[in-house]
Amino acid sequence: MTSTVYFTPVSERTSVSAVQQISKALLDTLVSAEQIELRQKIPLKVHFGEPKNVTFIRPDNYQGIIDYLAERGVESCFMETSVLYGGQRYKKELHAQTAKKHGFTQLPIVFADGEHGEAFADVAINQKHFKTFKVGQAFLDYDQMIVLSHFKGHMLAGFGGAIKQLSMGYAAKGGKLAMHMGEKPHIKNRRCTQCKKCLSCCNVDALRIGEGKSGRSWIEKEKCVGCGACVAICPSKAVSLFTLKSVARFLGIGNPFVEKLVEGAYAARKHQHNIYITFAMSISAGCDCEARKMKPVMADMGVFAATDPVAIDKACFDMAEALGKKFRRAKKTFSYAEEIGLGSCDYQLKRIDAPSFSDAVDAGM
Ligand code: SF4
Ligand code: SF4
């Protein structure tokens, strides 16, 4: 099946207000052309950017999309999950502060995986690596989202766009843990103060704190479902994910990360009929999760819109390649995504020119 990807070019000289108009017009075009029935409530899946990162997509770029929904009486919010470990986005409280500092104040914010990753749903997918996959619970309250992605490089995935935003972006801590490491956490007794804060977040009673003759703390591996909530809640950093094996897996050694990423996206999209809008601007070598200042590695390309997460990523990837920038690991991502039915690599790029927004099927890129 051929998917249509709508695209308007932008450059570093394009103003933020022009980007707002472009993304609003692209959304309007997509909704009309694909006859999308908008729901009463449509959250925006975003990434708030790690502190010190300067290349994440700033929220003022999304104002046109926010206005479009408001004009149609659609209720919205920003929706996100917290990261696995470390940084300023690993639990709701800190993550919300980061979002506010980065200017995400136009809409209410919902953390789909709760305070520290305890709110998740196991979505049955029955795929090669995952029979079920843990996504943030609140995503299941909606059957339509607008998934806003930043096209850029990514250390493990090779590149990040709609597939990564769906997969890693929807995953609760347990989903991220399974994708990255495939291991359950353990307690470092030299750090554990036996404060018992972690007990409140474990839904399966797997934590043993100061028990037995030894008075030590441990996690019952048979009970633990690997949700990762105790990692985030522990004030003493006593719950660790890291073993030699898990670190190797985190670095992609002996871990089919790309296939797992695609399966995570499949789980996330399973109950949803989403709209994907990707901003291929400030294209950095690394992810928006990286707490460092990066420079763009290529010129801005534009804003893309589609209903197919695979087609929109393929269109971004192909355009970058045509402009001389090849991101790694894409072949496997796209072939596996097609194989399990996440979407189609076969797409037609339809260019919507700014500012007149006259339709023209793109022939040059
Ligand atoms: S929260 Fe951390 S320090 Fe407190 S009991 Fe649990 S593992 Fe130990
Ligand atoms: S012990 Fe396992 S199941 Fe319990 S909170 Fe920690 S990671 Fe989750």
Coordinates of all heavy atoms in Angstrom, one line a residue, residues 187-188 191-199 207 209-210 217 230 233-239, ligand 1:
I187 N 19.2 -4.5 44.2 CA 19.4 -3.5 45.3 C 20.9 -3.5 45.7 O 21.4 -4.6 46.0 CB 18.5 -3.7 46.5 CG1 17.0 -3.5 46.0 CG2 18.8 -2.7 47.6 CD1 16.0 -3.7 47.1
K188 N 21.5 -2.4 45.8 CA 22.9 -2.3 46.3 C 22.8 -2.0 47.8 O 22.4 -0.9 48.3 CB 23.7 -1.1 45.7 CG 24.0 -1.4 44.2 CD 24.7 -0.2 43.7 CE 25.2 -0.4 42.3 NZ 25.8 0.8 41.7
R191 N 24.2 1.0 49.7 CA 23.5 2.3 49.6 C 22.1 2.3 50.2 O 21.6 3.4 50.5 CB 23.3 2.6 48.1 CG 24.6 3.0 47.4 CD 24.3 3.9 46.3 NE 25.5 4.4 45.7 CZ 25.6 4.9 44.5 NH1 24.6 4.8 43.7 NH2 26.8 5.4 44.1
C192 N 21.5 1.1 50.4 CA 20.1 1.1 50.9 C 20.1 1.5 52.4 O 20.7 0.9 53.2 CB 19.6 -0.3 50.7 SG 17.9 -0.5 51.4
T193 N 19.3 2.5 52.7 CA 19.1 3.0 54.1 C 17.9 2.3 54.7 O 17.6 2.6 55.9 CB 18.9 4.5 54.1 OG1 17.7 4.8 53.3 CG2 20.1 5.3 53.5
Q194 N 17.2 1.4 54.0 CA 16.0 0.7 54.5 C 14.9 1.7 54.9 O 14.2 1.5 55.8 CB 16.4 -0.2 55.6 CG 17.5 -1.2 55.2 CD 17.7 -2.4 56.1 OE1 17.1 -2.4 57.2 NE2 18.4 -3.4 55.7
C195 N 14.8 2.8 54.1 CA 13.8 3.8 54.3 C 12.4 3.3 53.9 O 11.4 3.8 54.3 CB 14.1 5.1 53.6 SG 13.9 4.9 51.8
K196 N 12.4 2.3 53.1 CA 11.1 1.6 52.6 C 10.2 2.4 51.7 O 9.1 2.1 51.5 CB 10.3 1.1 53.8 CG 11.1 0.0 54.6 CD 10.2 -0.7 55.6 CE 11.1 -1.8 56.3 NZ 10.4 -2.5 57.3
K197 N 10.8 3.5 51.2 CA 10.0 4.3 50.2 C 9.6 3.5 49.0 O 8.5 3.7 48.4 CB 10.8 5.6 49.8 CG 10.8 6.7 50.8 CD 11.1 8.0 50.2 CE 10.9 9.1 51.3 NZ 12.1 9.9 51.4
C198 N 10.4 2.6 48.6 CA 10.2 1.9 47.4 C 9.0 1.0 47.5 O 8.3 0.6 46.5 CB 11.4 1.1 47.0 SG 12.0 0.1 48.4
L199 N 8.6 0.6 48.7 CA 7.5 -0.4 48.9 C 6.2 0.2 48.4 O 5.4 -0.6 47.9 CB 7.3 -0.8 50.4 CG 8.5 -1.5 51.0 CD1 8.2 -1.8 52.5 CD2 8.8 -2.8 50.3
L207 N 9.7 -6.4 46.6 CA 10.8 -5.8 47.4 C 10.9 -6.4 48.8 O 9.9 -6.4 49.5 CB 10.6 -4.3 47.4 CG 10.9 -3.6 46.0 CD1 10.0 -2.4 45.9 CD2 12.3 -3.3 45.8
I209 N 12.9 -5.6 52.1 CA 13.7 -4.6 52.7 C 14.1 -4.9 54.1 O 13.2 -5.0 55.0 CB 13.1 -3.2 52.6 CG1 12.7 -2.8 51.2 CG2 14.0 -2.1 53.2 CD1 13.8 -2.7 50.2
G210 N 15.4 -5.1 54.4 CA 15.8 -5.5 55.7 C 15.2 -6.7 56.3 O 14.9 -6.8 57.5
S217 N 18.5 -6.2 52.0 CA 17.4 -5.9 51.1 C 17.7 -6.5 49.7 O 18.8 -6.6 49.3 CB 17.3 -4.4 50.9 OG 17.2 -3.7 52.1
C230 N 10.8 1.3 41.2 CA 11.6 1.5 42.4 C 12.9 2.1 42.1 O 13.5 2.7 43.0 CB 11.8 0.1 43.0 SG 12.5 -1.1 41.9
I233 N 12.1 5.9 42.3 CA 11.6 6.4 43.6 C 12.7 6.4 44.7 O 12.6 7.2 45.6 CB 10.3 5.7 44.1 CG1 9.5 6.5 45.0 CG2 10.7 4.4 44.8 CD1 8.1 6.0 45.4
C234 N 13.7 5.6 44.6 CA 14.7 5.4 45.6 C 15.5 6.7 45.8 O 16.2 7.1 44.9 CB 15.6 4.2 45.3 SG 16.9 4.1 46.5
P235 N 15.5 7.3 47.0 CA 16.2 8.6 47.1 C 17.7 8.4 47.3 O 18.5 9.3 47.2 CB 15.6 9.2 48.4 CG 15.1 8.0 49.2 CD 14.7 6.9 48.2
S236 N 18.2 7.1 47.5 CA 19.6 6.8 47.7 C 20.3 6.2 46.5 O 21.4 5.8 46.7 CB 19.7 5.9 48.9 OG 19.0 6.4 50.0
K237 N 19.6 6.1 45.4 CA 20.2 5.5 44.2 C 20.7 4.1 44.5 O 21.7 3.6 44.1 CB 21.3 6.3 43.6 CG 20.8 7.6 43.0 CD 21.8 8.3 42.2 CE 21.3 9.4 41.3 NZ 20.5 10.4 41.9
A238 N 19.9 3.4 45.4 CA 20.3 2.0 45.8 C 19.8 0.9 44.8 O 20.3 -0.2 44.9 CB 19.8 1.7 47.2
V239 N 18.8 1.3 44.0 CA 18.3 0.3 43.1 C 18.9 0.5 41.7 O 18.9 1.6 41.1 CB 16.7 0.4 42.9 CG1 16.2 -0.8 42.1 CG2 16.1 0.5 44.3
Ligands
SF4_1 S1 13.9 3.3 48.7 FE1 16.0 2.8 48.3 S2 17.1 3.2 50.2 FE2 14.9 3.1 50.6 S3 14.5 1.0 51.2 FE3 14.0 1.1 49.0 S4 16.0 0.5 48.1 FE4 16.5 1.0 50.2

